[in-house]
Every structure is written in structure tokens, then in C-alpha cells.
Amino acid sequence: MRDGTATREPIGVIGTGYVGLVTAAGFAALGSDVFCVDIDEGKIQGLREGRMPIWEPGLAELVAEHRDRLHFATDLAPALEHARLLFVAVGTPPTYSGDADLSAVHAVVDAMPASDAHALVMKSTVPVGTGESIKRVFAQQSKGFAYVSCPEFLKEGSAVKDFLEPDRVVIGDDGDWAGEAVEALYAPLDAPVVRTDIKSAEMVKLASNAFLATKISFINEIANVCEETGADVVEVARGMGLDDRIGPKFLQAGIGYGGSCFPKDVSALKQLAGNSGYHFQLLNAVIEVNELQKRRVIAKLQKHLGSLVGKEIALLGLAFKPNTDDMREASSLVLSARLQAAGAHVRAYDPVAEDEARKLIRGVDLASTAGEAIAGADAVVLVTEWPEFKTLDLAAVAEAMRGTLVVDGRNFLDPAAARAAGLTYEAVGRPAVNAARRSPWASAGATGPTAGSR
Ligand SMILES: NC(=O)c1ccc[n+]([C@@H]2O[C@H](COP(=O)([O-])OP(=O)(O)OC[C@H]3O[C@@H](n4cnc5c(N)ncnc54)[C@H](O)[C@@H]3O)[C@@H](O)[C@H]2O)c1
């Protein structure tokens, strides 16, 4: 990254959630004055007072460091006055049908005044064709706005780093001043730039997320076959990942993907294809595998504990992945609901997502430490691979539990250490280790229905 202290083009950012706030802080770090707008008054007031609405590593520091270049408002006027590029980062959640809900995007479009001097730069993930239809609306209303698609690829948990060191910047535009201006803004990051048409830029985003979700569902199905055949998916993924046509990333088997992007973007692409007359068969399977994967934990618990009625189950981790407090579409939501429906009592601990959990899940006791969640549990399920769980003292875990069963939903713990601690250890796609591992060819050491309970 080159020096970001020189004064650069001011911008507006509409929507100050995960994407908007990171984008705003990132461009402020590169030297722009950034005029942030959000309809959530509490969020804007908090940001003015230095309170962060989300937990994201390094973001609070970046915002504090460049606070003088960050301006927060609930109305568009300052952004329109000072900036010609207005980045849109409002939510596009799924509707009941699985299509993307574009109502927030349309609200932003409708709020724009007539102007030949401004451009909307779409960071929100939208279906292919959205840019065309927004341009049509602008034309019908004689608003004159330019339009650029600039999809966002940041990952929660490493969003600041991803903004500052992107793999690529994708800019879809009509070849006018706005595309040039967006490219100039990103120039200090020295990232590969893909300049293309608007529809292709929109598709790059959806196709990227759908591909990554497919890779996850693929390795999860391999894991499930490993469980049937005695192979170890961790070894399999290691062997596959060294093939540079495949690569090691997104080959970690587990209890399914979640979060605010993959589930909704895969479903939005499937619906988009269907609406365009194409049946995207592969994505149906990706979605179904992911749903079933979350539920396989219940069967593993029942295999060892029998009925779950009255059983104490501890969930370690609630966020959809580590280093974020985001629980949207997290596997923990399905799991906690299914466990309660099966009659279990659930206690859960997450290092940062407790506030989110209070909003999103009912009937679960929230513990303030892992130890508190584990105490007296018949079984522990590791849901999110937070680093602090790596260093759990498994002997102390075994001592504190009522039962012995640990279901490691992310293949995160050391099976040998679990066995040494006297735990019954079930992972995803790996041989269970309550029995000594004999040879790679031996079948997984299945246990009777009551094993795992003391
Ligand atoms: N979260 C991610 O990891 C990620 C990554 C890449 C792309 N995206 C995409 O970026 C978009 C934003 O996602 P997010 O996770 O940041 O959402 P978010 O829910 O965290 O933030 C959206 C913000 O927009 C605000 N908002 C809604 N309507 C508004 C309006 N009319 N005017 C001003 N503000 C308004 C909301 O109050 C909220 O603060 C989505 O389309 C998402 O798919 C998200």
C-alpha cells in the first residue's frame, strides 16, 4: 500500500454496517474524507461518540485513528454536498422466496436527487440486472446519476485486512467518469483491477460466493462418506489441497456454512437463475447439504446419549465463524433450536457474540465463560472454532462435565488429547476416538447408545 495520507477524493458511504463501516474507515485511512449515512439513529449517535456497532478486529482502532476524516449523519445532505461518489452498503437480506430483498437499495435510489455530478457505487450484493434496472429508474426520473458496480469481497473477522489488501477490485461500469474515479480511489492498494461491464461485475460476486459454498458442501459430503468408510477427511483434504488446481482453502469439513453472505447469496443466485429460466441444479444440492450438515450433530449426540430429553448440552461458540459477533444464519441458531425441540437443555458460550445471541436465540442459558457452559454437561458441542477453544484444558473439561462426549463440529480439537483426557470425541469425517485408533483402514469406533454418559 502506498502512502495514504495525501488528500484524496471525498466519498459518501450509505449504510454503516460491516461493509459500509469498513469501507468508510478504509478509504479514510487512504486519505479521503468520508461522509457516512445510516438510517439507524442509534448507530450514528454511537459512532459520533466513538462506540462501535460491530465487533471486527482492528476496526475500532482504524476508525479512531482516522476519526477526523469520518463524518456521520442520518441524512444524505452532507454526503451529496461533499462527495460525488456515493458507495451503497445497505443490507440485501433474503426474502421468503430466497430472492434478495432490494427494498433498502431502492430506498437509497429513490432518495437521490437529480444530479449529473454524482454516481452510485454499489457495494451491496445484488442480483445480476439490478444495475440496469437502477439506471432505468434514474433515466425515467431524469436524475442523471452515473452507476458503478463495485462488489465487496471482504470477510468478516479479517475485514480491515481484506479492505487494505484485496485479492482484486472488481469495477463494472459504463466507461464514464465514475468508473475511472472508483479505480483511482482504489489505486493506492495496488490490487489487480477487473474493469468490466455492470452485469458481469454483479455476477462475479454471486458466482464467487456460490463457488466457495460449493467447495464447503463438497468437502462436507466427502466427510460424511469418510464417516461411513473410515477415512479421515482431514487427511483427505490435506492430500487434495496440495493439488494447486484445488488449493487448501475452504476444504475444512464442519457443520456447515452460515453468516450473512453465503446462505443468502447462494439462494439469490439460484433464484436469479430460476427467474431467468435456468434450473441451477448444483446449487440446490449445495444448499440442501448445508442444511443437513448442521443437523447431523443431533444424530451424533443421540448415537451416544440416546434420547436428548433432559440432557444438558453445552455449545461452545455461537458466531457463524470466529473473530466476529455476527450470528446471522449461524449453525448455532439451527442447533440450539433443534436441541431444545429434542428436549435438551442448552447452555452456550461465545467470546464476543453474547449481545447478538440475546437478540437472536431464545431458551438458551448464556454463560460468560467456557467453563461455566461446560460444567455439568452431558455433552459439549464445539460450534465455532474460536482460538481460545484450542487451548482448552481437556482434562479439566472432562472433570467438569457430567458426561464424556465432545462433538467437535469444526475438527478443531486434538483427538489424541481428547482421548487422553478420557473424553469420547466425535468430529466431522474423522474416526471417533473413544476406541484406540488401530489402522487407517479400521472402521470408526462406534459406541453403544449409552456410551459417553457417566
Ligand atoms: N457482511 C459481509 O461480510 C459482506 C461481505 C461482502 C458483501 N456484503 C454485502 O454488503 C451489503 C451490506 O452488508 P452488511 O453485512 O454490511 O449489512 P449490515 O446489515 O451490517 O449493514 C447495513 C446497514 O445499512 C443501513 N441501512 C439500511 N437502509 C438504509 C438506508 N436506506 N439508508 C442508509 N442506511 C441504511 C442499516 O441501518 C445498516 O446499518 C449486503 O448486500 C451484503 O450482502 C456483506
Side-chain angles (χ1 to χ4, degrees):
M1 191 178 75
R2 293 203 294 268
D3 175 28
T5 54
T7 304
R8 288 161 39 81
E9 168 147 16
I11 60 163
V13 174
I14 304 171
T16 56
Y18 285 89
V19 169
L21 196 53
V22 171
T23 302
F27 279 125
L30 296 181
S32 290
D33 265 289
V34 183
F35 294 85
C36 304
V37 189
D38 203 291
I39 48 170
D40 185 333
E41 290 182 11
K43 200 175 262 189
I44 289 298
Q45 192 54 35
L47 283 164
R48 283 181 179 145
E49 291 165 7
R51 282 195 309 279
M52 297 299 292
I54 52 170
W55 193 90
E56 181 64 42
L59 184 58
E61 293 81 351
L62 200 68
V63 168
E65 193 182 337
H66 302 287
R67 184 64 190 82
D68 56 331
R69 294 198 193 119
L70 288 163
H71 314 275
F72 298 104
T74 49
D75 73 292
L76 286 164
L80 285 163
E81 183 188 342
H82 296 285
R84 46 180 199 156
L85 297 174
L86 302 172
F87 285 77
V88 180
V90 298
T92 49
T95 59
Y96 285 115
S97 63
D99 292 281
D101 177 355
L102 295 179
S103 53
V105 168
H106 290 312
V108 171
V109 170
D110 289 343
M112 292 299 137
S115 167
D116 285 329
H118 288 90
L120 272 196
V121 185
M122 191 57 66
K123 284 238 141 267
S124 296
T125 305
V126 294
V128 180
T130 304
E132 287 303 315
S133 72
I134 290 176
K135 280 178 10 186
R136 239 182 353 260
V137 171
F138 281 149
Q140 280 159 3
Q141 299 175 349
S142 308
K143 280 187 174 165
F145 257 71
Y147 186 89
V148 179
S149 166
C150 182
E152 182 53 59
F153 300 95
L154 63 75
K155 303 178 286 298
E156 288 177 25
S158 58
V160 170
K161 181 174 181 294
D162 293 342
F163 176 90
L164 295 170
E165 298 165 28
D167 293 338
R168 78 297 210 189
V169 173
V170 175
I171 300 171
D173 68 305
D174 289 330
D176 55 23
W177 67 271
E180 297 298 321
V182 173
E183 186 170 358
L185 268 180
Y186 277 102
L189 300 179
D190 287 333
V193 175
V194 178
R195 284 291 291 275
T196 183
D197 61 280
I198 293 169
K199 284 184 177 172
S200 301
E202 291 168 339
M203 186 59 106
V204 170
K205 174 64 193 178
L206 292 176
S208 298
N209 274 1
F211 183 78
L212 294 171
T214 303
K215 216 171 163 190
I216 294 171
S217 279
F218 180 83
I219 199 66
N220 281 340
E221 290 230 273
I222 294 292
N224 299 344
V225 179
C226 285
E227 285 178 12
E228 299 300 323
T229 57
D232 181 337
V233 75
V234 173
E235 298 297 304
V236 174
R238 191 159 65 95
M240 288 172 65
L242 286 168
D243 184 329
D244 66 6
R245 295 168 302 176
I246 298 173
K249 291 182 180 166
F250 285 77
L251 282 186
Q252 285 73 38
I255 52 174
Y257 60 79
S260 67
C261 290
F262 284 3
K264 93 173 164 65
D265 293 349
V266 174
S267 152
L269 180 53
K270 183 192 125 180
Q271 294 301 340
L272 172 75
N275 296 340
S276 320
Y278 181 72
H279 179 58
F280 204 144
Q281 220 161 310
L282 181 60
L283 291 187
N284 279 329
V286 169
I287 293 166
E288 192 182 354
V289 168
N290 195 54
E291 284 313 309
L292 294 174
Q293 199 68 13
K294 298 174 194 172
R295 290 163 167 78
R296 284 175 69 87
V297 172
I298 306 291
K300 285 180 179 164
L301 289 167
Q302 285 167 334
K303 180 175 101 180
H304 292 278
L305 302 179
S307 164
L308 297 183
V309 174
K311 295 292 188 314
E312 294 283 338
I313 310 293
L315 301 185
L316 294 184
L318 293 168
F320 86 91
K321 66 175 184 177
N323 295 320
T324 181
D325 63 350
D326 199 342
M327 282 185 57
R328 289 177 285 186
E329 301 282 337
S331 297
S332 62
L333 297 174
V334 172
L335 256 183
S336 57
R338 289 295 314 124
L339 285 168
Q340 290 183 81
H345 176 249
V346 183
R347 227 165 331 146
Y349 164 71
D350 189 284
V352 304
E354 194 175 329
D355 289 347
E356 287 305 298
R358 286 193 199 290
K359 291 182 222 156
L360 292 175
I361 48 178
R362 297 273 168 277
V364 170
D365 282 345
L366 294 173
S368 47
T369 62
E372 202 183 297
I374 288 165
D378 293 297
V380 171
V381 183
L382 191 144
V383 182
T384 316
E385 63 276 38
W386 280 99
E388 73 170 69
F389 300 148
K390 197 73 161 178
T391 54
L392 276 176
D393 176 347
L394 295 179
V397 169
E399 189 60 34
M401 289 173 66
R402 186 164 68 190
T404 62
L405 177 61
V406 171
V407 179
D408 183 352
R410 301 293 174 188
N411 290 344
F412 192 57
L413 303 174
D414 177 0
R419 177 172 45 190
L423 292 166
T424 300
Y425 178 78
E426 276 273 359
V428 180
R430 314 193 76 181
V433 293
N434 52 331
R437 193 158 157 201
R438 291 172 295 275
S439 84
W441 320 116
S443 67
T447 52
T450 55
S453 239
R454 279 183 191 151

